[in-house]
Amino acid sequence: MATAFRLRLAIKCGKNLSRPLIRSYERRIFEKQCQRLSAITSSSVQCFSSQTATQPTETHNIIKDTEKVTGESAKHEFQSETQMLLQIVAKSLYSDKEVFLRELISNASDALEKLRYMRLSDSKAAELIGDRSLEIHIGTDKQNRILTIQDTGVGMTREELVSNLGTIARSGSRAFLEKLKEKQDAGDSSQIIGQFGVGFYSAFMVADKVEVFTKSYTEGAEGLFWISDGSNTFKISTAEGVQPGTKIVIHLKVDSREFSDDDTVNRLITKYSNFISSPIYVNGKRVNTIQPLWMLDQKDITPQQHSEFYKYIGNCFDSPRFTLHYTTDVPINIRALLYFPEERPALFDMSRGDGSSVSLYSRKILIKSKAENILPKWLRFLKGVVDSEDIPLNLSRELLQNSTLIGKLRDVLTTRVLKFLNERARKQTEDYNKFYKDYSIFLKEGVVSTDSQRDKEEIAKLLRYESSIAEPGQLISLTDYCERISADQKKIYYLVAPSRNLAEQSPYYESLKKRNIEVLFCYEAHDDVIFMHLRQFKDLPLTSIEEDMRDDSNKSDSPDIINKGEIDNLITHMKKVLAGKANDIKITNRLESHPCVVTVKDMANARHFTRLQTRQMQDEMLYSLLRPTFEINPNHSLIKKLCEIMNSNSKLADLLINQLFTNSMAEAGLIDNPRILLASMNELLTAALEKY
């Protein structure tokens, strides 16, 4: 409707019509509509509409100026300590003054829930209450800077009015719950929000004066009027024309007049109180039409509802790939609805170290829209809602107390997410592998950032790699690997390489391939770091095959060498040529098709170190830190040829020795600068072509 109006207005007035002017015209039309519909009163809408419900076409407003103060006012004084506390609540307790609306709506919701309980549990009360609709109505008067909040709840007697609004930190809701506990009848107490008894006084953050009209549901109850400017006194009088329930009239300060604007009020309701159980009307129009899906039985929720709720709560346009609906009361009360996005994460989402897309609620009231500490940072790609009655909030209901319960909440949720993903990996393997392709970086971050070895291994169960004995493209888990190794194999072997082709051609893989030992092929450079932090899986150490080759070379016997004297001379010459580079040079029997290889102690650490530091240090320092061992295959044709030309063309032999060493360093991932390779290669080619 608004879009059509803008279009007609733009055609009439020209395409350069400004947005403020359009809004001004829209507001005038809206005000005229409200005036025409002000006399219309419809029956209350049910507690929740469907997820796709549209706004009602008729207004329904119970806010009317029918109250009239009668009799003399009884003046009461706040105690001196209460005065100070009132100033703290009004000026210092809350970080943002907009939360006053959340607090007052929560109080109104509690009043409705108490009435709901009384109607169900007390036949006499049910007769008095009748079929009264349970609703919250909010009215705005921007011209006079007035905001009105009215509920149809239990209301208050004179004694309750003095007690609840005259004593800060006395919570009527808490007292109500304590009475239920005494009766050993909890009822549906999960809907009761109030805890501290300070929410009402948050109104003084924005108000010059607050008026309250209230009438209890009890038989013969009188209408009452309460007024205070937040200083040292408040007055109570009788009043006529008061509707059952409570009506709060807030006379806003000049600098808070924005809260008498219906757009602002609608925005705040959507932000903080959109999932309150009872309907909320603003100037007669229903605002909270979206269901809190996490509180419903998951069997009753359709995929379409999940999709729309995901887009709403996650502020995104794709659809959920997986949906985790989790409910438990032990060891902590949790109602969680978590979504795994279909869309691949943006580069920023991968790189940022904090932030969260999960909102924290308590009894359907928003506590924090981005609650970083209820899930580990590596799960920041999740979107959704976590609601818990047990979370320890501070007095302002904005921050979490530093408590072991928060750690317990995080542990329970993390464990459930890991279990869920493992289930998807088994039952929906193809879908999980697509998810893994897009989000594996987060899982690997979890391995690196988690302290507990047990937790690291739980996350590591979700990792997937290609295997030397599986078809290209087929992914296996570490669990799969462990289930099929022989009894005498005591290690999990892996090789980091840019591709499967290069992995299969690696000189380090030759020996294990010959012995039919399975090797995990890892195609990401950071996989070295992952396995360094993981260290072991199911008591089997994770070992790079380069490291294993170094250890086996130290133990194995020397190969049979026909020209042993020539090889000894070659090694002696190589030590001179590679002085300052190779820490040691020796022969190996682990190679067949490759002429040489470099081995370094703790290869994974060395590779990670060189990626970080190569550009910052001189070559001599790097070689002295790595202390590489240059191992040669004496039976390879290239090594045999080196023995021949060592005496006849020493320059070419020296260049060839340097090139073989540089190639081996690059093969090991210890050199990633192509300029180093190209420079030595060009020099070698020039020498080789000199005689031509």
Side-chain angles (χ1 to χ4, degrees):
M1 178 178 176
T3 303
F5 170 75
R6 288 194 182 100
L7 182 58
R8 292 196 301 271
L9 197 60
I11 293 172
K12 183 178 180 180
C13 302
K15 62 181 181 180
N16 294 323
L17 190 63
S18 67
R19 186 175 294 274
L21 187 56
I22 290 175
R23 288 182 176 173
S24 175
Y25 279 107
E26 286 178 329
R27 192 164 307 240
R28 292 181 190 176
I29 295 297
F30 175 77
E31 289 172 352
K32 290 179 180 179
Q33 290 174 340
C34 287
Q35 291 172 3
R36 290 197 301 268
L37 296 172
S38 61
I40 299 175
T41 304
S42 63
S43 60
S44 64
V45 182
Q46 292 183 353
C47 179
F48 286 100
S49 62
S50 69
Q51 180 72 16
T52 57
T54 58
Q55 294 285 359
T57 56
E58 294 185 346
T59 59
H60 172 50
N61 199 342
I62 65 171
I63 299 177
K64 304 179 186 298
D65 294 329
T66 58
E67 299 85 0
K68 181 180 179 181
V69 178
T70 60
E72 295 184 1
S73 299
K75 190 174 183 179
H76 301 262
E77 288 191 4
F78 291 113
Q79 297 179 359
S80 58
E81 295 85 354
T82 307
Q83 290 182 46
M84 294 177 62
L85 187 55
L86 179 59
Q87 295 303 313
I88 292 173
V89 172
K91 296 181 179 179
S92 305
L93 181 60
Y94 298 94
S95 60
D96 195 331
K97 62 183 180 181
E98 70 179 23
V99 300
F100 86 92
L101 187 60
R102 177 194 70 185
E103 297 298 302
L104 296 182
I105 291 176
S106 297
N107 288 348
S109 176
D110 283 353
L112 296 174
E113 293 304 326
K114 293 173 192 175
L115 190 69
R116 192 195 309 274
Y117 172 80
M118 298 304 296
R119 185 157 58 184
L120 293 173
S121 62
D122 189 326
S123 58
K124 184 178 179 181
E127 185 178 346
L128 291 171
I129 297 167
D131 59 352
R132 186 195 310 178
S133 299
L134 305 182
E135 303 168 351
I136 300 171
H137 285 257
I138 299 175
T140 60
D141 182 353
K142 194 167 186 178
Q143 183 175 358
N144 296 309
R145 300 201 313 272
I146 292 176
L147 177 67
T148 303
I149 301 174
Q150 183 168 349
D151 65 68
T152 59
V154 290
M156 288 178 280
T157 63
R158 183 180 291 269
E159 180 183 354
E160 290 170 337
L161 190 60
V162 173
S163 177
N164 292 343
L165 301 192
T167 306
I168 298 178
R170 184 191 186 280
S171 171
S173 296
R174 186 174 57 198
F176 180 78
L177 292 175
E178 289 173 354
K179 287 182 180 179
L180 293 184
K181 289 180 181 178
E182 291 175 3
K183 296 180 181 179
Q184 296 183 341
D185 181 10
D188 191 12
S189 60
S190 64
Q191 305 295 331
I192 304 295
I193 301 166
Q195 300 181 52
F196 303 110
V198 298
F200 169 78
Y201 303 97
S202 65
F204 288 104
M205 290 191 296
V206 298
D208 284 326
K209 179 175 64 175
V210 177
E211 299 172 336
V212 178
F213 295 94
T214 187
K215 185 176 182 180
S216 174
Y217 75 96
T218 56
E219 187 175 5
E222 60 180 342
L224 297 169
F225 172 68
W226 182 100
I227 184 172
S228 176
D229 61 1
S231 57
N232 59 345
T233 63
F234 62 92
K235 295 178 181 180
I236 296 179
S237 310
T238 57
E240 297 176 350
V242 179
Q243 300 180 63
T246 300
K247 176 180 180 180
I248 301 174
V249 182
I250 302 172
H251 297 265
L252 296 164
K253 299 175 182 178
V254 175
D255 63 356
S256 299
R257 68 182 307 151
E258 62 184 293
F259 299 112
S260 60
D261 179 79
D262 56 345
D263 288 340
T264 300
V265 171
N266 285 332
R267 177 180 61 81
L268 295 179
I269 292 172
T270 302
K271 179 178 180 181
Y272 291 108
S273 307
N274 211 29
F275 303 109
I276 287 289
S277 298
S278 300
I280 303 174
Y281 296 87
V282 176
N283 295 325
K285 290 192 174 182
R286 176 89 181 261
V287 178
N288 59 332
T289 59
I290 298 178
Q291 299 185 65
L293 296 190
W294 69 91
M295 302 298 289
L296 306 181
D297 191 322
Q298 53 186 307
K299 297 191 298 294
D300 299 332
I301 307 173
T302 66
Q304 178 66 21
Q305 286 177 301
H306 274 307
S307 180
E308 294 186 7
F309 186 78
Y310 163 76
K311 292 173 183 177
Y312 167 79
I313 202 72
N315 191 27
C316 48
F317 301 98
D318 61 328
S319 298
R321 184 191 305 250
F322 301 130
T323 298
L324 170 56
H325 194 159
Y326 178 51
T327 301
T328 184
D329 293 315
V330 179
I332 184 173
N333 175 276
I334 299 173
R335 301 288 184 272
L337 187 54
L338 301 175
Y339 295 106
F340 296 73
E342 179 71 34
E343 192 175 64
R344 293 188 64 182
L347 183 61
F348 173 73
D349 292 328
M350 292 185 183
S351 60
R352 65 193 176 109
D354 56 2
S356 170
S357 297
V358 175
S359 299
L360 176 64
Y361 285 73
S362 180
R363 301 172 189 262
K364 295 182 287 188
I365 296 295
L366 178 68
I367 303 302
K368 203 169 186 181
S369 58
K370 293 185 177 181
E372 300 90 354
N373 49 356
I374 61 170
L375 282 172
K377 290 181 179 179
W378 63 271
L379 285 175
R380 61 185 175 275
F381 61 88
L382 290 176
K383 301 179 186 295
V385 170
V386 173
D387 192 317
S388 176
E389 300 172 20
D390 296 336
I391 54 175
L393 305 176
N394 69 1
L395 197 59
S396 66
R397 199 152 54 202
E398 294 175 296
L399 300 173
L400 303 178
Q401 302 280 23
N402 184 12
S403 168
T404 54
L405 274 176
I406 301 303
K408 176 63 71 176
L409 175 65
R410 182 170 54 250
D411 292 343
V412 170
L413 287 172
T414 303
T415 300
R416 187 63 187 88
V417 170
L418 292 174
K419 180 181 178 182
F420 175 83
L421 285 175
N422 271 301
E423 290 171 351
R424 298 286 76 72
R426 292 195 308 272
K427 299 176 182 179
Q428 300 170 248
T429 304
E430 185 176 346
D431 291 336
Y432 175 78
N433 287 342
K434 291 178 180 177
F435 161 79
Y436 182 78
K437 180 180 179 181
D438 292 339
Y439 286 88
S440 61
I441 186 67
F442 293 99
L443 303 178
K444 293 175 181 180
E445 180 187 333
V447 173
V448 173
S449 60
T450 301
D451 295 328
S452 165
Q453 179 63 26
R454 179 183 64 83
D455 294 341
K456 287 178 185 291
E457 292 195 26
E458 286 300 312
I459 302 172
K461 291 178 182 178
L462 299 171
L463 301 181
R464 295 293 183 271
Y465 297 100
E466 286 195 20
S467 164
S468 60
I469 66 171
E471 293 296 322
Q474 180 182 345
L475 300 177
I476 71 162
S477 67
L478 291 172
T479 303
D480 295 333
Y481 185 102
C482 293
E483 287 175 350
R484 59 192 182 212
I485 63 174
S486 60
D488 59 342
Q489 184 176 329
K490 305 301 181 184
K491 298 177 180 178
I492 299 173
Y493 295 104
Y494 71 91
L495 171 63
V496 177
S499 66
R500 185 183 184 98
N501 184 47
L502 292 175
E504 291 176 336
Q505 295 179 17
S506 170
Y508 302 101
Y509 174 57
E510 279 189 353
S511 175
L512 286 105
K513 181 180 180 181
K514 187 176 181 180
R515 290 182 282 161
N516 293 320
I517 294 178
E518 184 176 10
V519 177
L520 296 175
F521 291 154
C522 311
Y523 304 138
E524 302 290 344
H526 55 246
D527 285 326
D528 263 335
V529 182
I530 309 307
F531 288 130
M532 280 164 48
H533 282 82
L534 185 56
R535 297 190 302 277
Q536 63 180 28
F537 185 82
K538 291 189 175 182
D539 297 326
L540 295 174
L542 289 149
T543 306
S544 69
I545 61 175
E546 300 101 329
E547 184 69 23
D548 182 70
M549 182 175 185
R550 175 186 175 89
D551 294 341
D552 284 352
S553 295
N554 291 334
K555 299 173 185 177
S556 62
D557 297 330
S558 299
D560 295 330
I561 305 173
I562 299 175
N563 55 341
K564 189 175 186 308
E566 293 180 353
I567 293 296
D568 288 341
N569 291 335
L570 177 62
I571 290 176
T572 301
H573 184 70
M574 281 183 167
K575 288 181 178 180
K576 295 178 182 178
V577 174
L578 298 177
K581 293 182 178 179
N583 180 65
D584 190 18
I585 300 174
K586 61 183 182 180
I587 57 175
T588 180
N589 63 351
R590 313 294 288 181
L591 299 174
E592 290 185 1
S593 60
H594 292 80
C596 53
V597 74
V598 162
T599 58
V600 174
K601 184 179 181 181
D602 228 349
M603 180 68 84
N605 272 308
R607 212 162 16 223
H608 180 58
F609 173 78
T610 55
R611 278 196 293 268
L612 296 176
Q613 299 294 334
T614 297
R615 316 266 182 191
Q616 282 76 39
M617 63 172 56
Q618 300 294 325
D619 290 345
E620 295 80 3
M621 183 180 296
L622 179 65
Y623 291 128
S624 65
L625 289 172
L626 295 179
R627 298 174 64 81
T629 296
F630 190 42
E631 302 185 16
I632 62 173
N633 175 8
N635 297 318
H636 194 275
S637 58
L638 190 54
I639 299 300
K640 292 178 179 178
K641 192 65 176 178
L642 254 180
C643 292
E644 295 177 12
I645 67 170
M646 184 175 58
N647 296 321
S648 61
N649 191 343
S650 61
K651 179 181 178 181
L652 181 61
D654 292 351
L655 289 172
L656 185 57
I657 290 169
N658 271 297
Q659 189 63 50
L660 288 173
F661 178 78
T662 302
N663 291 352
S664 298
M665 291 288 288
E667 178 72 44
L670 300 175
I671 292 178
D672 62 353
N673 187 351
R675 291 186 178 87
I676 297 175
L677 287 170
L678 291 175
S680 58
M681 179 67 73
N682 290 336
E683 194 174 357
L684 174 62
L685 292 174
T686 300
L689 295 173
E690 279 183 352
K691 62 180 180 178
Y692 299 101

